[in-house]
Structure formats: structure tokens, C-alpha cells
């Protein structure tokens, strides 16, 4: 087990280095950060001096080496635009993104599973067809469009929910939360639906097909023959067996939820890391971009590692074959 | 059971907190203005960046020796009056008495001398406010002399955005020098503010919101009725519009042009449009012997004034105004807004005339190849697509219009970061490009020295910094220097006009228009939209 973890951590480091290298070679094409840092009256000499001071004229490989060396010490430099440490900026934005991702994932699970079960059990019911249509919308419409549609229905037309921002925030030393106030929850509703809709439809479709598959198996027929109630058959026997792939997918999708939050956060002006990243791209704020990409890569690697470990813990077959190898 | 009880107590706790939040909300009858802008307020340091909106927001908190009125006229600010002595070599400023900074410190001559030193320090982005590095001398607590090496009639033109900082406060907090762009710790003044203005900043969450509160001790006559202003960046344009329509914000800046009718049709909001002072223009590489991206090899067609004029006359400015800008633009004949230089209206645009354009191109020796609809030559057009109002569509329209005279434009529309890196380069990196310019001083000399003066080959010397096409005219260069030291307004204006006339005849640039400002406001909000696009809260009333 320990060897397995060490091997995986070694692989993770390689992944992170690769991500950092690729992002660094891309940064040369986003533009010149100094153009965004100074006003129009700044002379060319001053601009060139700033470039030199920032080390932007060094070869990519030198810049990369410097970045990796500093990152190993958890020093991600200062934002060009905000002139503040990147670690601090990301730390301030991290809770907003994580809370949004968390609520979205819960929404995806607790709306997706019942809808999936229902459509699996009654594939021809009118409600099932409705759910299927909604899921098509969720899969095919781009996130920003869903967000704007929700804003125009629930904020502009009905005036029920706020259209932007994270409100009712309560601050602790290292964390800020919007879970403790009514306002906070209200402002969470639209963004988390927008962000979680794709995952919800994914889970719904997965549960539906798994349910239909499981319902055809012999042990379900046997359970029915034993005279168990429909409820016991459907939920205790069938649903339980469909949940293994659902848990896997949910775990893996958590990473995408955090990464895809970029668009949702921009549409709803949600003050998370994704919004900061997008603004950093527009202003060529390389330290923020680099640190964010590395953080997202780390999250993905971590989640994958945990899922792998859970596999080993849950599924005896993997454990056995692992030992044999 | 235990878990249920826990859940209940948690729910009760949540309800309590929520209740408290509710009770705190609408209890006080404070007048709060909520202002949404497309970008962030990145620094509170008044010498941190030379950018209109940032300086405008800071202008609610900090003040300069001069201010500009609703019509952009220069009016007294922290200086009550000033006089020019010694044939223009010494200016004496009489400072307003009894003015206090937000922290209670007195405003006096030491603060002015200190601010002059700080704005000229390394890393200050506003050193151009004191061009020529004049010497500041304290005469007494409320009198300051400014000694110049040569006369400069526009010395104070940009001082409305040269804000005076408190010497004691700034020094005590280790911010006496603006932080370097590559500094490893944020400057104290970057995240804190202490000015003399009508508002003070009580909360500043970078990229999330900034709260301004009324300064009850302000020296001036209060023309607003606000207690608080909450400034929020909202990046996404549809969200900004939605927030205005749903009444969650009171002012949005800017409004996308396509949403103007929709907002005006709504029950509770409207669009305020006004002329802006920024001029949008096209220009061409007139310097290189051969263009960087064109089908013409061995020579540069833009060196021929007939080609430049043909391009000018092929552009239907009225169609751009009507279709692309939806009426929200004023066609321009030169590079400065008549709001800054009224005499410029003596220059008329070269008329839109396809026949003339075709004739000029024929004469210049670029015939159509392959029949009457053939192409004369190809050239790239560099264009930002997220910087100015409808910049991308303007370039598309220009592309289509030039196709009618046989010029095939290869449009390179890219985001601003990449665009500026390419176009604002010491070498002439672009054959044909679109750009916008606002003279920072509000004076024509700025246009002459930055856009029209010949640039040195290596880009040094600070002249023609943004003359990215390499326009060069000896008389314009001479006029640039003459204008700077001419104290007689009438003569000075005549010289400026002469320079702009030369530019017009030589077709060094193709001015397009001054774009319109478009802000959305709630119908219960009355405000002054000044043509320099600064968000100024002190002229806002909310019902």
C-alpha cells in the first residue's frame, strides 16, 4: 500500500511539472503584461525596464526553473496587477470556489439520483420524458447560456434571486462562508444550479441506464419472486448496486466542477478563483495564471489519488491483483 | 435522536444568524449607491496606474490642486487660486486653508511638496503629471512656488488627476515611494487610502467590492445625497445589464450598445449617452521600406499620400456610425475631441468617395488585377476586439469597405493584451492598425508629442511614443516644440491647428470617431456623466 502511494505521488509530481512547463510555454503567446500594468503615458524605456525587472526577457526555461524553484517553497510571487502575493489572493478566493463546487456537487447528486431512478423505473412516464428533455438541455447548452437564462428568469423577470455576487459572507480567520446566512444561500442557488446542471444530467443518465441494466438481472427477478415489496427491490437491491459507478464519476467530476467554475463564476461575478483566473488571462497576470493552473492540476491529481485508494479499499479484486503484481 | 437534536439546534442557529442579518439590513435609512463597472479597482495608490477609471474612482477620495468641472473646465481644487510669475518661469499656488485629510491631519504645503517628490519617484506611473520635473518650493504653510526651467502654459492641465497625499500618513506607513511593479510586498497605500475628498474608503476587497462612505468634514459644497457607495466589478456584460434591470445595482458602466434599446424600454432603468473624448483612428506604417504583412513587395504603398487618402475616402464613416455604433459615435476629422480643442471643427473630414478612392489608387500605380472586381493588394489590419466600443465590428466594416476599392484586408482581431504587445512596439510592427487615444492632459500638445512627432529609430527620447505608423513631418515636429513654450493662447491655438491641418492634408492618420459613453442608471438616479468617463460620485443624487 505504501509503495503504491509513493509511486502515485511520484507520478503526480511529474504531472505537475508537465502542467507547469506547458503553461509556461503558452504564456509567451498571451501578450505583454507590462502593457496592462502601466498607463498610456509610460515611455518605452520604462516599459522595457519593467519587463527586465520582472524577468520576462529571460529564456522560457530560466523563467520556468525560477517558478518551479519558488513554487517548491510555496512562493508563487506577486500578482502583476494587484501587486499582492498570489498565495494570499488565491487563499482569499479559494473558499468561494470550494463552497460553490460543494453545493453544485450536492445538487447534482441529490437531484440527479432520484431523477435517474424514476426515469429508470418508469421510462415511458410523461415525467420521465420531461426529465430526459431537461437532461438534453443540460448536456447541450453551454454553461454561460444557462447562467444568463437563469438570471433573466429568476432575477430580472421574477425578481426572486440575486443576479450576481456572493452575499451574506461571514468571515473567519482563514475561511469565509456564505453558508451561515439566508442571503448567502440565496446567492448560491443560481450559480450552483448552473455549475451543477451538466453533472446532474450526467448522473441522472448514468443512474437511469444502470437501473435499467440491474433490473434485468437474475437477483432482482429472484428478489421479486421472493415477494419483496417493490420499494425494497428497487431501492435496497437495485439502487445500491448502481451507486458504485456513480460514486466514481462524482469523485472524478468534482475536479471538473472546480475547474469549470471559471465560466459560472464569470457569469455570476462569483468572487472565486476561476473569476480571478479569467481576469488574469485578460491582463496577462502570469503569476496568477501559473499558480491557478498548478493548483487545479494538484486538485485533479489529489482526487484521482483518493479515488484510486478508495478502489483498493473497496474492491477486494483490485487489492488481490495488486498484491500479485 | 442526538443527531436530530443537533440538527435542530444548528437550524436554530442558522435562523438566528439569518435574522440578525435581516435586522441589520434595512433598519437605517441610509442612501446607498451601488455602482458596477466592468473592471477591477486594482490599486488605491494614486500614483499606481495611469488609467481613467482607476483615477476617477480615486478622485472621489483624493483631490488635486486643481479639479475639472462638469464641462471639463479647470477649476480650483486644493489650491484656491494660482498666479504665473517671472514670465511663466514661476507659478505660485495658494492652498485652501482648513482642509483636513480623512485621518484628521491638516493639509498644507508640506503635503504638496511631498506629493511632487513622490509622483516623480521611480515606479510612479504618473510622473508625466509633472513633465519637465519642476521644482516645488514651500513659501509658507499655505503657499507653494513651482519653478520651471522653461515656460509651460499647460503645467496644471493634468493636475486634476495628480492627487495630493498626506506626507505624515504616507511616510509613517512606509509608503513614501510607490511600490515597484515587481515588489514582493504590497504597498500600504495600494490597499489603504487617506485623501481630502468627499468620500473615504471604509472597505476594500480587491476584485469583490469597495465601499466609499461620505466624508462629513469635506471642505466643499456637497452636491450629492449619498451616505455610501458600493463599487462592484461585474465582468460579464449580460450580468451587468441583468443586475441593473433587476434593480440590484444603480449604475452600470459600460452598457453594451446592443442592450441600449432594451434598457431604455424597461420600467426602472435608462441609458445615459454622451460624447467621450477618446478618438478612435486607423493608421498605417509609413516608415518601413516594405510592409510587414502585405502582398506588395519591395516598396511600401503607404508612403504614397494618394494611397493613404484613398483608404480614407473609401471608408463610409456615416455607415459605421449608423450600423456598427448604432448612432453612438461622433465622426471625427482629427485626433482630438472638439471638447478639448473647439477650433478643430474648422477641419472637415475628407468626403467618403469611392470613385475618388479608386482613381487615387490607379494613379498611385496599384491597378486591379484580374478584371474590374480584382484585388489591388493585400494588407493585414491589426485590431483589438475587447478594448474599445465595438472595435472588432468596426474593423470588419472597414475590411468590407476597402474590399470595394480592391484592397483585400486580412483582419487580425485579437484580445487587447496580445494586440498592444504587437502594436505598441518600438519597432514598426504593424502595417495597418486601429487604436484609440485620449490626451491625458486634455490638451492638443499631448497629441502632437505622442502621436504626431517623429519617433527616434530606437524609440528613445519620449517623442512619438505611440506614433506607431511612423508619421513624420518636420513642420509638425517644430510646432510641437513651439506650442510647448508659447504663452499666448491665440497664437498657441493657431499653431496647434496648423499642425492638425498638416496631419489632415498628409493623411497621416484616418480619424474615425469619438465613441459615445453609455452608462445605465436606475430612473431614480441623477448624475453627471463627464466626457472623460470618470465615475464621480459627488454629482450623484438618488431618490
Amino acid at each position: 500500500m505504501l509503495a503504491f502511494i509513493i509511486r502515485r505521488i511520484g507520478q503526480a509530481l511529474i504531472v505537475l511539472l508537465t502542467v507547469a512547463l506547458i503553461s509556461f510555454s503558452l504564456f509567451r503567446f498571451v501578450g505583454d503584461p507590462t502593457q496592462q500594468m502601466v498607463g498610456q503615458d509610460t515611455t518605452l524605456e520604462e516599459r522595457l525596464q519593467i519587463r527586465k525587472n520582472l524577468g520576462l526577457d529571460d529564456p522560457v526555461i530560466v523563467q520556468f526553473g525560477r517558478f518551479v524553484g519558488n513554487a517548491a517553497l510555496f512562493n508563487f510571487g506577486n500578482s502583476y496587477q494587484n501587486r499582492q502575493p498570489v498565495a494570499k489572493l488565491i487563499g482569499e478566493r479559494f473558499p468561494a470556489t470550494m463552497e460553490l463546487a460543494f453545493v453544485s456537487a450536492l445538487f447534482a447528486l441529490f437531484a440527479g439520483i432520484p431523477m435517474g431512478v424514476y426515469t429508470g423505473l418508469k421510462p415511458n412516464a410523461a415525467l420521465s420524458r420531461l426529465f430526459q428533455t431537461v437532461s438534453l438541455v443540460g448536456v447541450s447548452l453551454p454553461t454561460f447560456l444557462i447562467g444568463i437564462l437563469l438570471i433573466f428568469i429568476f432575477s430580472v423577470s421574477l425578481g426572486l434571486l440575486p443576479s450576481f455576487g456572493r452575499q451574506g459572507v461571514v468571515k473567519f480567520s482563514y475561511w469565509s462562508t456564505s453558508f451561515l446566512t439566508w442571503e448567502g444561500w440565496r446567492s448560491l442557488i443560481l450559480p450552483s444550479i448552473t455549475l451543477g446542471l451538466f453533472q446532474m444530467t450526467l448522473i441522472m443518465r448514468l443512474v437511469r441506464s444502470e437501473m435499467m441494466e440491474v433490473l434485468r438481472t437474475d437477483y432482482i427477478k429472484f428478489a421479486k419472486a421472493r415477494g419483496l415489496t417493490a420499494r425494497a427491490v428497487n431501492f435496497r437491491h437495485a439502487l445500491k448496486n448502481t451507486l458504485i459507478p456513480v460514486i466514481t464519476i462524482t469523485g472524478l467530476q468534482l475536479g471538473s466542477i472546480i475547474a469549470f467554475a471559471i465560466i459560472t463564476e464569470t457569469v455570476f461575478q462569483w468572487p472565486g478563483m476561476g473569476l480571478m483566473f479569467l481576469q488574469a488571462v485578460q491582463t496577462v497576470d502570469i503569476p496568477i495564471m501559473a499558480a491557478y493552473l498548478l493548483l487545479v492540476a494538484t486538485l485533479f491529481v489529489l482526487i484521482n489519488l483518493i479515488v484510486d485508494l478508495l478502489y483498493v479499499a473497496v474492491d477486494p479484486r483490485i487489492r488481490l491483483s495488486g498484491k500479485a503484481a | 435522536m442526538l443527531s436530530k437534536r443537533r440538527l435542530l439546534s444548528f437550524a436554530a442557529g442558522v435562523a438566528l444568524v439569518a435574522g440578525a442579518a435581516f435586522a441589520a439590513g434595512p433598519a437605517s435609512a441610509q442612501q446607498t449607491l451601488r455602482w458596477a463597472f466592468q473592471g477591477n479597482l486594482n490599486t488605491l495608490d494614486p500614483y499606481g496606474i495611469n488609467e481613467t477609471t482607476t483615477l476617477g474612482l480615486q478622485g472621489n477620495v483624493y483631490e488635486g490642486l486643481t479639479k475639472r468641472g462638469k464641462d471639463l473646465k479647470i477649476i480650483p481644487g486644493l489650491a484656491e487660486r494660482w498666479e504665473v510669475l517671472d514670465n511663466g518661469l514661476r507659478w505660485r499656488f495658494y492652498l485652501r486653508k482648513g482642509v483636513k485629510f480623512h485621518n484628521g491631519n491638516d493639509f498644507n504645503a508640506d503635503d504638496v511638496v511631498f506629493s511632487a517628490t513622490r509622483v516623480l519617484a521611480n515606479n510612479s506611473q504618473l510622473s508625466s503629471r509633472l513633465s519637465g520635473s519642476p521644482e516645488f518650493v514651500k513659501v509658507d504653510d499655505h503657499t507653494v512656488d513651482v519653478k520651471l526651467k522653461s515656460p509651460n502654459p499647460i503645467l496644471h492641465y493634468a493636475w486634476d488627476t495628480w492627487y495630493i497625499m498626506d506626507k505624515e500618513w504616507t511616510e509613517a506607513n512606509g509608503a513614501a515611494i510607490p511600490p515597484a511593479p515587481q515588489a514582493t510586498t504590497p504597498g500600504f497605500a495600494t490597499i489603504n487610502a487617506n485623501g481630502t475628498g468627499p468620500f473615504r474608503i471604509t472597505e476594500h476587497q480587491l476584485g469583490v467590492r469597495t465601499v466609499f462612505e461620505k466624508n462629513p468634514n469635506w471642505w466643499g459644497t456637497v452636491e450629492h445625497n449619498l451616505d455610501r457607495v458600493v463599487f462592484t466589478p461585474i465582468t460579464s456584460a449580460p450580468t451587468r445589464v441583468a443586475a441593473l434591470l433587476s434593480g440590484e445595482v444603480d449604475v452600470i458602466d459600460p452598457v453594451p450598445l446592443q442592450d441600449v434599446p432594451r434598457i431604455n424600454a424597461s420600467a426602472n432603468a435608462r441609458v445615459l449617452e454622451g460624447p467621450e473624448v477618446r478618438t478612435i483612428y486607423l493608421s498605417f506604417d509609413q516608415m518601413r521600406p516594405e510592409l510587414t504583412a502585405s502582398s506588395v513587395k519591395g516598396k511600401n504603398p503607404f508612403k504614397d499620400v494618394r494611397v493613404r487618402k484613398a483608404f480614407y475616402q473609401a471608408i463610409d464613416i456615416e455607415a459605421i456610425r449608423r450600423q456598427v455604433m448604432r448612432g453612438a459615435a461622433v465622426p471625427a476629422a482629427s485626433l482630438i475631441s472638439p471638447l478639448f480643442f473647439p477650433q478643430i471643427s474648422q477641419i472637415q473630414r475628407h468626403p467618403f468617395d469611392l470613385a475618388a478612392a479608386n482613381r487615387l489608387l490607379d494613379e498611385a500605380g496599384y491597378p486591379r488585377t484580374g478584371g474590374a472586381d480584382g484585388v489591388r493588394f493585400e494588407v493585414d489590419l491589426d485590431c483589438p476586439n475587447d478594448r474599445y466600443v465595438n472595435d472588432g465590428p468596426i474593423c470588419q466594416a472597414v475590411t468590407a469597405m476597402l474590399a470595394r476599392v480592391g484592397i483585400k484586408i486580412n483582419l487580425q482581431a485579437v484580445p487587447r493584451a496580445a494586440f498592444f504587445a504587437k502594436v505598441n512596439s518600438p519597432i514598426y510592427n504593424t502595417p495597418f492598425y486601429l487604436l484609440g487615444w485620449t490626451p491625458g492632459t486634455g490638451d492638443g500638445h499631448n497629441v502632437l508629442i505622442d502621436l504626431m512627432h517623429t519617433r527616434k529609430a530606437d524609440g528613445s527620447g519620449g517623442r512619438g511614443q505611440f506614433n506607431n505608423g511612423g508619421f513624420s513631418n518636420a513642420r509638425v515636429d517644430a510646432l510641437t516644440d513651439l506650442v510647448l513654450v508659447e504663452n499666448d493662447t491665440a497664437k498657441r491655438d493657431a499653431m496647434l491647428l496648423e499642425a492638425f491641418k498638416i496631419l489632415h492634408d498628409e493623411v497621416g492618420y484616418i480619424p474615425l470617431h469619438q465613441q459615445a459613453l453609455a452608462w445605465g442608471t436606475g430612473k431614480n438616479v441623477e448624475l453627471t456623466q463627464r466626457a472623460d468617463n470618470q465615475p464621480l460620485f459627488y454629482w450623484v443624487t438618488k431618490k
Side-chain angles (χ1 to χ4, degrees), chain B residues 95-248:
Chain B
L95 308 184
R96 204 172 287 278
K97 290 173 184 156
V99 174
K100 283 188 185 302
F101 286 95
H102 296 153
N103 66 352
N105 286 358
D106 284 320
F107 158 72
N108 58 36
D110 289 328
D111 298 318
V112 176
V113 176
F114 168 78
S115 298
T117 313
R118 192 177 190 269
V119 82
L120 287 172
N122 273 340
N123 304 319
S124 158
Q125 296 302 324
L126 276 95
S127 50
S128 61
R129 292 295 182 272
L130 298 185
S131 61
S133 306
E135 184 192 353
F136 279 66
V137 182
K138 173 183 173 179
V139 178
D140 62 45
D141 262 3
H142 293 96
T143 315
V144 172
D145 273 0
V146 184
K147 292 182 179 166
L148 309 181
K149 293 173 195 83
S150 57
N152 179 3
I154 57 161
L155 176 71
H156 60 308
Y157 267 41
W159 284 12
D160 56 309
T161 49
W162 167 43
Y163 300 128
I164 303 302
M165 300 178 77
D166 180 13
K167 178 174 192 274
E168 291 78 19
W169 177 83
T170 316
E171 284 181 343
N173 291 300
I177 295 171
Q182 63 279 11
T184 46
T185 46
F188 183 82
T190 311
I191 43 181
N192 295 279
N194 178 36
T196 54
F199 291 87
R200 59 201 173 95
I201 289 179
T202 53
E203 182 191 338
H204 179 53
Q205 276 179 274
L206 193 75
V208 182
R209 64 188 216 147
T210 305
V211 179
F212 300 74
E213 264 174 40
K214 181 184 176 179
N215 170 14
N217 305 317
W218 187 48
W219 55 268
T221 316
V222 177
E223 291 180 61
H224 66 88
N225 70 341
L226 309 174
D227 299 300
R228 281 171 94 225
V229 181
V230 179
F231 171 85
T232 324
I234 301 185
T235 317
S236 148
T239 312
R240 210 157 55 234
V241 172
L244 176 70
L245 292 177
S246 61
E248 289 166 80

Side-chain angles (χ1 to χ4, degrees), chain B residues 32-59:
Chain B
T32 300
L33 182 78
R34 296 153 304 169
W35 193 296
F37 177 63
Q38 64 178 355
N40 286 347
L41 174 55
N42 275 333
T43 177
L44 300 182
D45 192 322
Y47 313 150
I49 185 157
N50 185 5
E51 186 263 329
T52 305
T53 306
T54 307
L55 290 175
L57 285 166
Q58 290 170 348

Side-chain angles (χ1 to χ4, degrees), chain A residues 40 78 81-82 152 163 267 269, chain B residues 42 183 233 235 239 248 438 466:
Chain A
Q40 63 180 17
N78 273 34
Q81 284 288 310
N82 308 327
F152 271 87
S163 60
V267 171
Q269 195 63 31
Chain B
N42 275 333
T235 317
T239 312
E248 289 166 80
T438 310
F466 296 90

Side-chain angles (χ1 to χ4, degrees), chain B residues 277-304:
Chain B
V277 284
R278 173 180 283 127
T279 306
I280 306 294
Y281 57 82
L282 296 165
S283 182
F284 359 60
D285 179 352
Q286 301 147 58
M287 180 56 78
R288 281 173 180 263
E290 182 182 298
L291 291 176
T292 45
S294 167
S295 63
V296 182
K297 297 298 169 200
K299 59 176 173 174
N300 178 346
F302 294 135
K303 279 186 182 286
D304 189 331

Side-chain angles (χ1 to χ4, degrees), chain B residues 44 57 70 79 114 137 278 323 327 352 424 426 441 451 515:
Chain B
L44 300 182
L57 285 166
K70 294 178 179 178
F114 168 78
V137 182
R278 173 180 283 127
Q323 302 294 340
F352 164 59
N424 285 348
T441 54
L451 298 184
Q515 64 191 27

Side-chain angles (χ1 to χ4, degrees), chain A residues 11 51 60 78 139 153 172-173 184 188 208 210 220 224 233 235 240 246 252-254 259 268 277 282 285-286 311:
Chain A
Q11 288 167 356
R51 274 192 71 84
V60 177
N78 273 34
V139 171
I153 296 170
F172 302 102
S173 55
L188 257 172
R208 175 176 172 272
E210 287 285 326
I220 295 294
K224 279 182 183 159
V233 174
F235 292 95
K240 234 182 203 173
V246 171
L252 292 176
Q253 289 289 319
L254 196 64
F268 289 95
F277 174 73
Q282 283 162 356
D285 203 335
I286 290 174
Y311 266 11

Side-chain angles (χ1 to χ4, degrees), chain B residues 52-82:
Chain B
T52 305
T53 306
T54 307
L55 290 175
L57 285 166
Q58 290 170 348
N60 296 298
V61 179
Y62 285 101
E63 292 171 306
L65 292 180
T66 67
K67 292 190 139 192
R68 280 182 186 262
K70 294 178 179 178
D71 53 358
L72 288 171
K73 286 253 160 55
I74 294 171
I75 55 173
L78 289 177
E80 279 178 323
R81 60 196 173 87
W82 51 89

